[in-house]
Amino acid sequence: MDQIAPDEIPDGFTAADPNFGQKPEQQAAKASQDSQRESILDQALEPEARQRLRRLRLVKPDKAETLEKAIAAQAMSGRLPGRINEGKLIEMLERSGRASGAPAKISFQRKKCAFDSDDDDDDDDD
């Protein structure tokens, strides 16, 4: 990794290293665990399910990590009957949501426009 001079860092940013304070052995062990988990997930999940899990990681990294660990544990213990498809992954997500006790509530806030064409009849055939 290249070193950045302090005068090259924009205002409001720092040169903090996310691995600061970790020994190289710890970094290597973590990288090894991550690559092993990734290979297990690649074998256990179908491509569509893998993509959904990656998208989930963008929005809710803690939930994705919990689910990844559960899938990896099941795969390593031989409790997976086959590869997990997207539907099965969604079921697992729903079960984990119910088990946590917090109901998943999604609310949509739509903006009202002054010129909403859905209210008017736009049929100009007459």
Side-chain angles (χ1 to χ4, degrees):
M1 183 181 229
D2 297 335
Q3 293 294 325
I4 299 174
D7 58 340
E8 294 178 5
I9 300 172
D11 291 338
F13 291 92
T14 63
D17 183 10
N19 297 322
F20 182 74
Q22 289 184 348
K23 296 179 181 174
E25 299 86 27
Q26 291 174 332
Q27 291 175 2
K30 186 175 183 333
S32 173
Q33 289 174 347
D34 289 344
S35 66
Q36 183 180 10
R37 188 176 72 232
E38 289 294 322
S39 68
I40 290 171
L41 291 173
D42 284 340
Q43 293 174 5
L45 298 171
E46 290 185 0
E48 297 84 18
R50 188 76 175 116
Q51 289 174 354
R52 181 173 287 269
L53 191 58
R54 285 184 183 131
R55 287 191 306 265
L56 178 67
R57 178 175 285 287
L58 293 174
V59 179
K60 297 189 179 220
D62 53 336
K63 188 174 248 188
E65 185 175 348
T66 303
L67 193 59
E68 285 175 354
K69 287 180 181 178
I71 292 170
Q74 288 178 357
M76 290 174 63
S77 66
R79 291 185 287 157
L80 286 180
R83 292 185 75 174
I84 296 174
N85 62 12
E86 189 174 8
K88 181 70 173 167
L89 184 70
I90 291 171
E91 288 177 22
M92 293 173 79
L93 282 167
E94 289 173 348
R95 268 188 276 140
S96 70
R98 284 193 302 256
S100 67
K105 178 164 172 42
I106 300 172
S107 61
F108 295 96
Q109 294 179 343
R110 294 190 171 92
K111 294 182 179 181
K112 300 287 183 180
C113 295
F115 301 107
D116 191 6
S117 64
D118 291 342
D119 294 337
D120 299 332
D121 183 19
D122 290 339
D123 190 16
D124 294 335
D125 291 339
D126 28 330

